[in-house]
Amino acid sequence: LRKKNLSPGAVESDVRGITGVDLFGTTDAVVKHVLEGHDRGVNWAAFHPTMPLIVSGADDRQVKIWRMNESKAWEVDTCRGHYNNVSCAVFHPRQELILSNSEDKSIRVWDMSKRTGVQTFRRDHDRFWVLAAHPNLNLFAAGHDGGMIVFKLERERPAYAVHGNMLYYVKDRFLRQLDFNSSKDVAVMQLRSGSKFPVFNMSYNPAENAVLLCTRASNLENSTYDLYTIPKDADSQNPD
């Protein structure tokens, strides 16, 4: 935008020297919407990857969600909880979540439908400044005073146990068995539903042909374990 206000032979240093040129004159950019709602300076705004939504964070310590169409944009909701300036806010690329971070030394994860905080990560001495989402993996990066962190919101590795040439693992409420020799992968048995927490780890007992499955609840006191005896001849199409 600045370069078109210069003569063709101008060098980069001349570009920096230009002041007083209205870069956003009517010919360059047209203001479509003005979104008013934050009380203090806005530090970040980002579009939703697929929906007509915008998320913003400001020095009023609020994260706001806005919706827009061709003719107007309006405020939908506010997430309150940070207790210092909000530095950055982004939509989760694949889930109904918003991530924000702040000079209050925390990263917060918000449920978009309920507008409530789901998770909070804190640092002792470092203010957070910026956030980025990986385009196709469930990885996020956040920059703070002391450097940066790369993190996941939930563990993606399944619970598993290996015995000889057999790998047992949990997937979609089934115990599955993979034979390393033949690469045959079958469902061995169905697991009881009821726990809202995924199976965290597994132990296999070859003498009893049984598995011990442990869940880890957010409050560790509420964690459970289940003992399953693996059926000798399972119907992999319709496991018990």
Side-chain angles (χ1 to χ4, degrees), residues 106-123:
S106 76
I107 301 172
R108 286 173 188 261
V109 184
W110 311 86
D111 182 318
M112 267 174 70
S113 52
K114 300 193 188 87
R115 314 303 193 239
T116 52
V118 204
Q119 276 175 292
T120 305
F121 305 93
R122 295 184 196 283
R123 286 189 76 81

Side-chain angles (χ1 to χ4, degrees), residues 157-171:
R157 180 182 306 186
Y160 71 94
V162 178
H163 177 69
N165 295 317
M166 289 295 187
L167 167 73
Y168 294 96
Y169 69 100
V170 173
K171 184 182 179 186

Side-chain angles (χ1 to χ4, degrees), residues 44-49 53-57 64 66 88-91:
W44 199 273
F47 288 106
H48 191 282
L53 296 174
I54 298 167
V55 64
S56 60
K64 286 189 184 290
W66 315 76
C88 185
V90 296
F91 290 105

Side-chain angles (χ1 to χ4, degrees), residues 150-162:
V150 177
F151 61 98
K152 285 182 178 184
L153 293 185
E154 67 268 319
R155 175 179 158 146
E156 297 177 292
R157 180 182 306 186
Y160 71 94
V162 178

